C-alpha cells in the first residue's frame, strides 16, 4: 500500500522570495517526516512556484522529491471546486494510506482539506513553529503535529447513534456505539439504554427492565422521568406475565399501541397494522377475562346467557376469533360489543388489514389507512380504559 501525501500549497504571507522559501522549507520538512511514496499538491497557478522551491529544498538537502502531481485550483476560495477536486483525488487514492497536510493555503483550502480528512478518516498533519508577525513559521523552528481526531469522530458517531435510536433502529445504533465510538463519557450508559429498548421493541420485557435498572442508565438524569414511567409499565407487564396480577391482559394494550406507532414512524405500515389488529383483539380479550374469567381460545359456554350461546353456537368449549369475540360482548350487552356490531368503518379497516401481505393478501397498507385504523382502535381502547392515552405515553420510548 502506497503512502500518499495530500498537501495544500499557498505562497506564504506576502510575495517576498524569502517568505516563499521559508514556507517551502517547512513543507519539505513535512514531506521528509511523512516519507510518502506519492504527493498530490493542491494550489493555484501561483503556488507552482512554491512547489519549485520545495524541489530546490530537496536538492539542497541531497534528497529526491517523491513522484508528485499538481492539482490546480482556479478559485482558491471556492468551496465547491475545492471539494470536488479533493474528492476526485480521494476516489483515486482513497484505498491507499492517505495523509493530509493542511499547513499552507487559503483558509478555505486548508478548511476543506481538514474536512476531507474527517469525512474520509485520514491522518491529518500540520506544521507549526515560531511565527513572525505575518504568521509565517520561521525556517528552522518547524515541528510536525499529527492531529488526534477521535474526539471529533466520537461526536459525529454519537450524533448518528442518537438519530438511529430516535428512529427505532436500535441494532444499528448499538453497532455504532460498540464499534465506532472510542472514548465517549456516556458510551456504556448509551449501550445499556439501547439494549433495553431493543429488547423491549422485541417484547422481551424482563431483559429490558434489567437494563433500565442499571446504574449506567440511571445516570442519564435528563431521561429520569420518561424512564421512570417506562419502568412502571414494564413492571406491570412482567407481573402479568408471571401470574402476579388477578387479570393479565390489560397492561399489554398500551404497549402494543405504542409499538404500533413506532412501526408506523418507520413507514412500516403493514407491521404497524398487524399490531393494531392484535390490539383490537386484545380489547375483547380483556373484557372477557375480567368480566367472565374466560379465555377466547377456549370459551366456556356455561358462563354466558342462553341467547349468547345460541347466537354463537356455543355447544362446547370453542375458540373465538376477533369478530366473534366482539359478537359475544354484543350479545352480553357490553357497549364496546354493540359499538363494534354497528361499526362499518372498522369492518372496512379489517378488510384492508386482511388483504395486507402480512395477513392474507398481497396489498400494502398505506399511511392514511394506518392512521384511520389507529384512531379507530384507540377509540375502542378508550371505551374500556379512560386512562389509555397516558398509559400509551408511559410505553413510549424516549428521544435523545
Amino acid at each position: 500500500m502506497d503512502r500518499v501525501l495530500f498537501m495544500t500549497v499557498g505562497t506564504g504571507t506576502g510575495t517576498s522570495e524569502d517568505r516563499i522559501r521559508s514556507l517551502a522549507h517547512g513543507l519539505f520538512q513535512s514531506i521528509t517526516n511523512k516519507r510518502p511514496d506519492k504527493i498530490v499538491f493542491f494550489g493555484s497557478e501561483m503556488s507552482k512556484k512554491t512547489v519549485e522551491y520545495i524541489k530546490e529544498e530537496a536538492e539542497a538537502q541531497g534528497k529526491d522529491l517523491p513522484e508528485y502531481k499538481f492539482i490546480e485550483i482556479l478559485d482558491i476560495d471556492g468551496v465547491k471546486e475545492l471539494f470536488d477536486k479533493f474528492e476526485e483525488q480521494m476516489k483515486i487514492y482513497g484505498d491507499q494510506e492517505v495523509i493530509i497536510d493542511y499547513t499552507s493555503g487559503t483558509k478555505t483550502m486548508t478548511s476543506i482539506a481538514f474536512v476531507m480528512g474527517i469525512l474520509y478518516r485520514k491522518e491529518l498533519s500540520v506544521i507549526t513553529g515560531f511565527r513572525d508577525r505575518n504568521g509565517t513559521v520561521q525556517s528552522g523552528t518547524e515541528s510536525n503535529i499529527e492531529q488526534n481526531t477521535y474526539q471529533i469522530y466520537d461526536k459525529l458517531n454519537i450524533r448518528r447513534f442518537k438519530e438511529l435510536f430516535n428512529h427505532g433502529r436500535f441494532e444499528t445504533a448499538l453497532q455504532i456505539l460498540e464499534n465506532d465510538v472510542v472514548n465517549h463519557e456516556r458510551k456504556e450508559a448509551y449501550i445499556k439504554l439501547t439494549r433495553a429498548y431493543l429488547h423491549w421493541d422485541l417484547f422481551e420485557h424482563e431483559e429490558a427492565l434489567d437494563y433500565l435498572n442499571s446504574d449506567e442508565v440511571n445516570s442519564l438524569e435528563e431521561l429520569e422521568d420518561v424512564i421512570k414511567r417506562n419502568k412502571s409499565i414494564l413492571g406491570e407487564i412482567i407481573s402479568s406475565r408471571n401470574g402476579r396480577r388477578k387479570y393479565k391482559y390489560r397492561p399489554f394494550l398500551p404497549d402494543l399501541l405504542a409499538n404500533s406507532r413506532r412501526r408506523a414512524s418507520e413507514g412500516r405500515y403493514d407491521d404497524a397494522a398487524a399490531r393494531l389488529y392484535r390490539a383490537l383483539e386484545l380489547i375483547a380479550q380483556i373484557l372477557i377475562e375480567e368480566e367472565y374469567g374466560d379465555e377466547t381460545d377456549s370459551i366456556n359456554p356455561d358462563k354466558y346467557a342462553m341467547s349468547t350461546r345460541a347466537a354463537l353456537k356455543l355447544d362446547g368449549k370453542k375458540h373465538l376469533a376477533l369478530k366473534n369475540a366482539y359478537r359475544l360482548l354484543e350479545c352480553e350487552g357490553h357497549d364496546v360489543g354493540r359499538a363494534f356490531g354497528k361499526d362499518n368503518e372498522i369492518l372496512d379497516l379489517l378488510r384492508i388489514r386482511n388483504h395486507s401481505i402480512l395477513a392474507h393478501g398481497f396489498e400494502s397498507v398505506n399511511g392514511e389507512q394506518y392512521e384511520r385504523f389507529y384512531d379507530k382502535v384507540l377509540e375502542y381502547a378508550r371505551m374500556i380504559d379512560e386512562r389509555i392515552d397516558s398509559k400509551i405515553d408511559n410505553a413510549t420510548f424516549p428521544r435523545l
Side-chain angles (χ1 to χ4, degrees):
M1 181 182 292
D2 286 339
R3 286 169 62 84
V4 184
L5 179 63
F6 283 19
M7 178 174 277
T8 54
V9 181
T11 58
T13 304
T15 58
S16 72
E17 186 173 313
D18 287 344
R19 286 178 184 156
I20 299 175
R21 285 190 180 280
S22 179
L23 172 62
H25 178 83
L27 295 178
F28 185 68
Q29 289 292 99
S30 178
I31 294 169
T32 301
N33 180 274
K34 296 303 178 185
R35 302 189 305 279
D37 299 298
K38 299 175 182 176
I39 305 172
V40 181
F41 292 113
F42 297 83
S44 66
E45 173 69 27
M46 294 178 63
S47 301
K48 291 179 180 179
K49 188 174 183 179
T50 307
V51 175
E52 290 302 315
Y53 283 145
I54 293 173
K55 289 171 65 177
E56 290 182 15
E57 184 70 31
E59 291 171 2
Q61 296 186 29
K63 299 176 181 178
D64 293 323
L65 195 64
E67 174 189 339
Y68 73 87
K69 65 180 176 180
F70 187 91
I71 306 299
E72 185 174 346
I73 307 299
L74 300 178
D75 182 359
I76 56 176
D77 288 311
V79 170
K80 185 179 187 308
E81 181 187 1
L82 284 161
F83 188 89
D84 288 346
K85 288 187 174 176
F86 260 96
E87 190 169 48
E88 182 180 315
Q89 297 305 308
M90 199 65 77
K91 288 177 180 177
I92 296 172
Y93 299 107
D95 59 347
Q96 305 298 308
E97 183 184 354
V98 174
I99 305 130
I100 299 178
D101 186 306
Y102 62 99
T103 301
S104 176
T106 65
K107 289 182 179 179
T108 307
M109 289 171 63
T110 57
S111 296
I112 292 296
F114 187 91
V115 168
M116 293 301 289
I118 296 297
L119 288 176
Y120 284 88
R121 291 179 172 268
K122 301 301 183 182
E123 179 183 327
L124 287 162
S125 177
V126 66
I127 296 293
T128 188
F130 178 77
R131 297 178 183 272
D132 63 19
R133 62 184 181 180
N134 294 309
T136 303
V137 176
Q138 294 300 287
S139 179
T141 71
E142 301 95 346
S143 62
N144 188 271
I145 296 176
E146 295 178 7
Q147 301 288 16
N148 189 336
T149 57
Y150 81 84
Q151 290 181 324
I152 296 174
Y153 293 128
D154 275 359
K155 286 184 179 295
L156 293 173
N157 285 321
I158 287 294
R159 182 179 296 177
R160 288 177 59 213
F161 150 71
K162 289 182 177 180
E163 290 173 353
L164 290 165
F165 182 97
N166 290 341
H167 284 89
R169 296 178 60 187
F170 301 115
E171 289 188 4
T172 308
L174 195 59
Q175 289 173 4
I176 288 173
L177 285 174
E178 293 180 332
N179 300 330
D180 298 332
V181 174
V182 178
N183 193 31
H184 193 274
E185 61 183 359
R186 290 186 160 189
K187 177 176 178 177
E188 291 305 316
Y190 282 151
I191 285 175
K192 291 193 174 182
L193 183 79
T194 306
R195 288 190 181 281
Y197 290 103
L198 173 60
H199 281 294
W200 191 348
D201 209 37
L202 298 172
F203 301 106
E204 296 168 352
H205 300 105
E206 291 191 7
E207 293 88 341
L209 186 57
D210 285 342
Y211 279 111
L212 288 184
N213 280 329
S214 68
D215 292 338
E216 291 86 351
V217 170
N218 288 326
S219 71
L220 301 171
E221 295 180 357
E222 72 277 16
L223 300 179
E224 181 178 357
D225 289 342
V226 64
I227 289 177
K228 183 178 180 180
R229 296 197 304 271
N230 286 169
K231 290 197 291 188
S232 174
I233 198 164
L234 275 175
E236 293 179 18
I237 291 170
I238 292 167
S239 292
S240 292
R241 280 188 180 278
N242 294 335
R244 296 196 297 266
R245 295 174 64 90
K246 181 178 180 181
Y247 300 119
K248 62 184 178 182
Y249 290 129
R250 191 172 287 265
F252 293 93
L253 181 58
D255 188 31
L256 272 171
L257 291 170
N259 189 293
S260 174
R261 295 306 292 176
R262 291 195 297 276
R263 299 290 79 76
S265 71
E266 300 167 21
R268 295 166 56 185
Y269 297 116
D270 291 286
D271 280 340
R275 284 152 173 77
L276 288 182
Y277 183 91
R278 179 68 186 100
L280 187 64
E281 183 181 56
L282 182 59
I283 291 168
Q285 285 182 278
I286 289 169
L287 286 181
I288 290 170
E289 180 201 34
E290 295 180 1
E291 294 289 327
Y292 304 100
D294 211 354
E295 302 282 349
T296 55
D297 62 351
S298 184
I299 288 292
N300 183 351
D302 296 337
K303 295 183 177 183
Y304 305 97
M306 187 68 70
S307 57
T308 301
R309 282 184 268 175
L312 293 170
K313 298 179 180 179
L314 298 178
D315 51 3
K317 288 198 173 183
K318 184 177 181 180
H319 169 80
L320 291 187
L322 185 149
K323 290 182 181 179
N324 278 336
Y326 278 94
R327 180 76 190 285
L328 181 147
L329 292 171
E330 180 182 11
C331 291
E332 291 290 306
H334 291 277
D335 290 343
V336 71
R338 286 195 290 263
F340 188 94
K342 300 175 182 177
D343 195 340
N344 291 327
E345 183 182 12
I346 192 64
L347 296 178
D348 179 57
L349 291 168
L350 288 173
R351 277 192 291 271
I352 291 171
R353 176 265 170 188
N354 288 336
H355 291 150
S356 164
I357 196 165
L358 294 186
H360 311 298
F362 296 96
E363 303 296 326
S364 292
V365 178
N366 63 41
E368 183 273 335
Q369 292 167 335
Y370 168 78
E371 292 297 336
R372 285 172 51 214
F373 197 6
Y374 180 83
D375 289 342
K376 179 58 67 173
V377 174
L378 183 60
E379 179 184 316
Y380 280 89
R382 286 170 176 161
M383 289 183 189
I384 69 163
D385 189 345
E386 61 184 15
R387 296 178 54 241
I388 189 64
D389 293 272
S390 64
K391 291 179 180 179
I392 295 169
D393 287 342
N394 291 346
T396 298
F397 293 0
R399 293 182 62 83
L400 302 178

